[in-house]
Amino acid sequence: MTIEYGPLIGGEGSPIGKTYLSVAVTEDGVDRPLVPGSRISLTIRKDGVLIVRAGCNELSGGVWLDDGVLGFEEGVQTQMGCGPELEAQDDWLMGFVIRQPEWTIDGDTLTLISGGTTIVLLDRRLAEPDLPLDGTDWTVQSILIDDDDLRWRYTLGDAATLTLNGTRATGSTGSSSFTATVIREDRTLTLTELVVAPTRPTGRAADLERAVLEILRTPLTYTIESNRLRLRGPTGITGFNLIAVRPEGDSVKAW
Protein backbone atom coordinates (compact mmCIF):
# COMPACT_ATOMS: atom_id res chain seq x y z
CA MET A 1 0.00 0.00 0.00
CA THR A 2 1.30 3.44 -0.93
CA ILE A 3 0.49 6.30 1.41
CA GLU A 4 0.47 9.81 -0.06
CA TYR A 5 0.78 13.00 1.96
CA GLY A 6 0.30 16.61 0.95
CA PRO A 7 3.22 18.68 -0.35
CA LEU A 8 4.94 21.16 1.96
CA ILE A 9 6.19 24.57 0.93
CA GLY A 10 9.56 25.52 2.35
CA GLY A 11 11.47 28.75 2.31
CA GLU A 12 14.19 30.62 4.14
CA GLY A 13 14.32 29.51 7.75
CA SER A 14 12.29 26.38 7.01
CA PRO A 15 13.35 22.78 7.80
CA ILE A 16 11.35 21.46 4.84
CA GLY A 17 13.37 19.51 2.29
CA LYS A 18 16.31 19.01 4.65
CA THR A 19 17.94 16.27 6.71
CA TYR A 20 19.22 16.95 10.22
CA LEU A 21 21.57 14.97 12.47
CA SER A 22 21.61 15.13 16.25
CA VAL A 23 24.36 17.07 18.01
CA ALA A 24 22.92 17.06 21.56
CA VAL A 25 20.20 15.22 23.48
CA THR A 26 19.17 16.09 27.03
CA GLU A 27 16.49 14.92 29.44
CA ASP A 28 15.61 17.29 32.29
CA GLY A 29 18.77 19.23 31.54
CA VAL A 30 21.05 16.17 31.74
CA ASP A 31 22.85 14.71 28.72
CA ARG A 32 21.20 11.56 27.39
CA PRO A 33 23.94 9.50 25.71
CA LEU A 34 22.99 7.62 22.55
CA VAL A 35 24.11 4.09 21.79
CA PRO A 36 27.78 4.29 20.70
CA GLY A 37 28.10 4.63 16.94
CA SER A 38 24.50 5.81 16.49
CA ARG A 39 22.99 9.19 15.70
CA ILE A 40 19.47 10.53 15.33
CA SER A 41 18.54 11.45 11.76
CA LEU A 42 15.43 13.44 10.85
CA THR A 43 14.27 14.30 7.33
CA ILE A 44 11.30 16.49 6.43
CA ARG A 45 10.58 15.88 2.76
CA LYS A 46 8.83 18.33 0.47
CA ASP A 47 6.11 15.76 -0.24
CA GLY A 48 4.95 15.96 3.37
CA VAL A 49 6.74 12.89 4.72
CA LEU A 50 8.78 12.81 7.93
CA ILE A 51 11.51 10.14 8.24
CA VAL A 52 13.30 9.56 11.54
CA ARG A 53 16.01 7.07 12.48
CA ALA A 54 17.86 6.38 15.70
CA GLY A 55 20.46 3.90 14.47
CA CYS A 56 18.36 0.91 13.48
CA ASN A 57 14.76 1.11 12.28
CA GLU A 58 13.06 3.87 10.34
CA LEU A 59 9.74 5.54 11.08
CA SER A 60 7.97 7.49 8.35
CA GLY A 61 4.63 9.24 8.10
CA GLY A 62 2.84 12.46 7.34
CA VAL A 63 4.08 15.68 8.93
CA TRP A 64 2.80 19.21 9.45
CA LEU A 65 4.53 22.15 11.11
CA ASP A 66 1.67 24.37 12.29
CA ASP A 67 2.00 26.74 15.26
CA GLY A 68 5.51 25.59 16.15
CA VAL A 69 4.45 21.96 16.60
CA LEU A 70 5.86 19.06 14.63
CA GLY A 71 2.67 17.12 13.99
CA PHE A 72 2.99 13.50 12.93
CA GLU A 73 0.62 11.02 11.36
CA GLU A 74 2.15 7.61 11.92
CA GLY A 75 2.67 5.64 8.74
CA VAL A 76 5.28 2.89 8.36
CA GLN A 77 7.99 1.56 10.67
CA THR A 78 10.61 -0.95 9.57
CA GLN A 79 11.11 -4.03 11.71
CA MET A 80 14.80 -4.93 11.65
CA GLY A 81 16.39 -6.60 14.63
CA CYS A 82 19.47 -4.66 15.74
CA GLY A 83 19.96 -5.72 19.33
CA PRO A 84 18.24 -4.60 22.55
CA GLU A 85 20.10 -1.29 23.00
CA LEU A 86 19.35 0.08 19.55
CA GLU A 87 15.79 -1.27 19.62
CA ALA A 88 15.16 0.47 22.97
CA GLN A 89 16.59 3.68 21.53
CA ASP A 90 14.27 3.31 18.52
CA ASP A 91 11.26 2.97 20.83
CA TRP A 92 12.31 6.04 22.82
CA LEU A 93 12.70 8.20 19.71
CA MET A 94 9.46 6.98 18.14
CA GLY A 95 7.61 7.84 21.36
CA PHE A 96 9.18 11.30 21.34
CA VAL A 97 8.06 12.00 17.76
CA ILE A 98 4.54 10.66 18.25
CA ARG A 99 4.06 13.10 21.16
CA GLN A 100 4.37 15.90 18.58
CA PRO A 101 7.25 17.98 19.97
CA GLU A 102 7.59 21.74 19.65
CA TRP A 103 10.14 22.88 17.10
CA THR A 104 12.25 25.96 16.55
CA ILE A 105 14.91 26.71 13.99
CA ASP A 106 17.91 29.01 14.25
CA GLY A 107 19.91 29.12 11.04
CA ASP A 108 21.02 25.55 10.37
CA THR A 109 20.03 24.24 13.81
CA LEU A 110 16.69 22.55 14.49
CA THR A 111 15.57 22.06 18.11
CA LEU A 112 12.78 19.71 19.19
CA ILE A 113 11.31 19.83 22.70
CA SER A 114 8.74 17.56 24.33
CA GLY A 115 8.30 17.43 28.08
CA GLY A 116 11.76 17.44 29.60
CA THR A 117 13.47 16.09 26.48
CA THR A 118 15.36 18.33 24.08
CA ILE A 119 16.97 17.15 20.83
CA VAL A 120 19.25 19.59 18.98
CA LEU A 121 20.01 18.74 15.37
CA LEU A 122 22.26 20.31 12.72
CA ASP A 123 21.69 20.42 8.97
CA ARG A 124 23.28 17.25 7.58
CA ARG A 125 25.26 19.26 5.00
CA LEU A 126 27.17 20.87 7.86
CA ALA A 127 27.16 17.97 10.31
CA GLU A 128 28.50 15.54 7.71
CA PRO A 129 29.54 17.32 4.49
CA ASP A 130 29.54 15.32 1.28
CA LEU A 131 32.87 13.71 0.53
CA PRO A 132 34.43 14.62 -2.85
CA LEU A 133 33.88 12.19 -5.69
CA ASP A 134 37.54 12.39 -6.72
CA GLY A 135 40.34 11.21 -4.49
CA THR A 136 38.03 9.26 -2.17
CA ASP A 137 38.48 5.50 -1.79
CA TRP A 138 34.96 4.11 -2.26
CA THR A 139 34.08 0.55 -1.24
CA VAL A 140 31.16 -1.22 -2.89
CA GLN A 141 28.64 -2.39 -0.31
CA SER A 142 25.97 -3.74 -2.61
CA ILE A 143 25.30 -4.41 -6.29
CA LEU A 144 21.87 -3.98 -7.83
CA ILE A 145 21.37 -6.33 -10.75
CA ASP A 146 18.61 -6.61 -13.36
CA ASP A 147 19.00 -10.05 -14.94
CA ASP A 148 16.16 -10.60 -17.42
CA ASP A 149 13.16 -11.26 -15.15
CA LEU A 150 15.30 -11.28 -12.00
CA ARG A 151 16.09 -8.13 -10.08
CA TRP A 152 18.19 -8.55 -6.98
CA ARG A 153 20.55 -6.82 -4.66
CA TYR A 154 23.76 -8.52 -3.62
CA THR A 155 25.64 -7.34 -0.56
CA LEU A 156 29.35 -7.83 -1.05
CA GLY A 157 31.56 -9.61 1.41
CA ASP A 158 34.56 -9.01 -0.82
CA ALA A 159 36.19 -5.60 -1.08
CA ALA A 160 35.23 -4.29 -4.51
CA THR A 161 36.52 -0.72 -4.68
CA LEU A 162 36.56 2.34 -6.88
CA THR A 163 38.75 5.45 -6.84
CA LEU A 164 38.37 8.31 -9.32
CA ASN A 165 40.91 10.97 -10.15
CA GLY A 166 40.05 13.17 -13.09
CA THR A 167 40.05 11.02 -16.22
CA ARG A 168 41.45 7.95 -14.44
CA ALA A 169 39.64 5.24 -12.49
CA THR A 170 41.23 2.44 -10.49
CA GLY A 171 39.75 -0.22 -8.29
CA SER A 172 39.04 -3.88 -7.68
CA THR A 173 36.23 -6.25 -8.58
CA GLY A 174 36.81 -8.01 -5.28
CA SER A 175 39.14 -10.43 -7.04
CA SER A 176 40.97 -8.48 -9.74
CA SER A 177 42.33 -4.96 -9.98
CA PHE A 178 41.31 -2.75 -12.89
CA THR A 179 42.04 0.60 -14.51
CA ALA A 180 39.91 2.68 -16.84
CA THR A 181 39.58 6.07 -18.50
CA VAL A 182 36.68 8.22 -17.29
CA ILE A 183 34.53 10.40 -19.54
CA ARG A 184 32.30 12.86 -17.64
CA GLU A 185 29.12 14.57 -18.73
CA ASP A 186 27.19 16.46 -16.04
CA ARG A 187 26.73 13.82 -13.30
CA THR A 188 27.28 10.81 -15.56
CA LEU A 189 30.48 8.77 -15.66
CA THR A 190 31.40 6.52 -18.57
CA LEU A 191 34.37 4.18 -18.09
CA THR A 192 36.27 3.30 -21.28
CA GLU A 193 39.50 1.41 -21.96
CA LEU A 194 38.70 -0.86 -19.03
CA VAL A 195 41.67 -3.13 -18.32
CA VAL A 196 41.36 -5.97 -15.78
CA ALA A 197 44.25 -7.92 -14.27
CA PRO A 198 44.07 -11.55 -15.52
CA THR A 199 43.48 -13.27 -12.18
CA ARG A 200 40.72 -15.58 -13.52
CA PRO A 201 38.60 -16.06 -10.38
CA THR A 202 36.26 -19.04 -10.17
CA GLY A 203 32.89 -19.84 -8.61
CA ARG A 204 31.16 -17.11 -6.64
CA ALA A 205 34.09 -14.71 -7.07
CA ALA A 206 33.85 -15.07 -10.84
CA ASP A 207 30.09 -14.37 -10.77
CA LEU A 208 30.65 -11.23 -8.72
CA GLU A 209 33.42 -10.05 -10.99
CA ARG A 210 31.21 -10.46 -14.06
CA ALA A 211 28.42 -8.47 -12.37
CA VAL A 212 30.80 -5.67 -11.34
CA LEU A 213 32.37 -5.40 -14.80
CA GLU A 214 29.02 -5.48 -16.60
CA ILE A 215 27.82 -2.48 -14.60
CA LEU A 216 31.13 -0.62 -14.95
CA ARG A 217 30.78 -0.86 -18.72
CA THR A 218 27.53 1.15 -18.70
CA PRO A 219 27.18 4.93 -18.18
CA LEU A 220 26.65 5.56 -14.47
CA THR A 221 24.92 8.56 -12.92
CA TYR A 222 26.19 9.46 -9.46
CA THR A 223 24.86 11.11 -6.34
CA ILE A 224 26.74 11.65 -3.08
CA GLU A 225 25.27 12.02 0.39
CA SER A 226 27.79 12.39 3.20
CA ASN A 227 30.12 9.40 2.81
CA ARG A 228 27.80 7.38 0.56
CA LEU A 229 28.05 7.21 -3.20
CA ARG A 230 25.21 5.92 -5.35
CA LEU A 231 25.94 4.87 -8.95
CA ARG A 232 23.04 3.96 -11.21
CA GLY A 233 22.87 2.75 -14.80
CA PRO A 234 20.63 4.21 -17.52
CA THR A 235 17.51 2.38 -16.26
CA GLY A 236 18.02 3.57 -12.69
CA ILE A 237 17.73 -0.06 -11.52
CA THR A 238 21.23 -1.50 -11.84
CA GLY A 239 24.26 -0.02 -10.14
CA PHE A 240 26.30 0.16 -6.96
CA ASN A 241 25.95 1.51 -3.45
CA LEU A 242 29.36 2.52 -2.09
CA ILE A 243 30.66 3.92 1.18
CA ALA A 244 33.88 5.59 2.32
CA VAL A 245 35.47 6.16 5.70
CA ARG A 246 35.34 9.84 6.56
CA PRO A 247 38.73 11.50 7.16
CA GLU A 248 38.01 11.69 10.89
CA GLY A 249 37.23 7.97 10.92
CA ASP A 250 33.48 8.41 11.36
CA SER A 251 31.52 6.10 9.05
CA VAL A 252 27.78 6.43 8.58
CA LYS A 253 25.65 3.32 8.99
CA ALA A 254 25.60 1.14 5.87
CA TRP A 255 22.92 1.36 3.19
Side-chain angles (χ1 to χ4, degrees), residues 77-185:
Q77 181 175 352
T78 59
Q79 298 293 328
M80 295 192 308
C82 301
E85 288 187 331
L86 282 173
E87 289 169 12
Q89 185 166 277
D90 277 350
D91 292 342
W92 164 80
L93 180 61
M94 305 317 168
F96 176 86
V97 172
I98 289 170
R99 290 196 299 272
Q100 301 188 3
E102 298 176 355
W103 70 274
T104 58
I105 193 163
D106 181 9
D108 297 302
T109 301
L110 174 67
T111 301
L112 304 177
I113 300 175
S114 179
T117 302
T118 299
I119 302 177
V120 181
L121 306 105
L122 182 63
D123 190 318
R124 196 277 306 165
R125 294 172 297 177
L126 296 178
E128 288 182 344
D130 297 340
L131 292 180
L133 175 66
D134 285 78
T136 300
D137 295 326
W138 301 102
T139 298
V140 177
Q141 285 202 309
S142 57
I143 306 175
L144 286 76
I145 295 173
D146 187 7
D147 182 10
D148 295 329
D149 295 327
L150 178 64
R151 292 178 181 175
W152 53 288
R153 169 173 166 161
Y154 197 97
T155 301
L156 288 181
D158 303 287
T161 63
L162 177 66
T163 302
L164 300 164
N165 283 290
T167 59
R168 180 175 173 80
T170 58
S172 169
T173 65
S175 300
S176 309
S177 60
F178 66 83
T179 62
T181 298
V182 183
I183 299 173
R184 303 177 185 232
E185 183 176 355

Side-chain angles (χ1 to χ4, degrees), residues 31-84:
D31 287 343
R32 185 192 195 281
L34 299 178
V35 175
S38 68
R39 198 171 195 178
I40 296 169
S41 169
L42 181 147
T43 300
I44 302 175
R45 294 191 338 206
K46 293 180 180 179
D47 61 358
V49 174
L50 173 72
I51 301 173
V52 289
R53 305 180 184 90
C56 181
N57 285 292
E58 173 182 293
L59 177 69
S60 62
V63 64
W64 60 96
L65 302 170
D66 300 335
D67 300 321
V69 174
L70 190 146
F72 179 72
E73 178 184 352
E74 188 171 358
V76 180
Q77 181 175 352
T78 59
Q79 298 293 328
M80 295 192 308
C82 301

Side-chain angles (χ1 to χ4, degrees), residues 144 219-222 230-241 255:
L144 286 76
L220 296 168
T221 300
Y222 73 90
R230 182 192 300 264
L231 294 175
R232 291 293 182 270
T235 65
I237 296 171
T238 59
F240 301 115
N241 292 328
W255 296 81

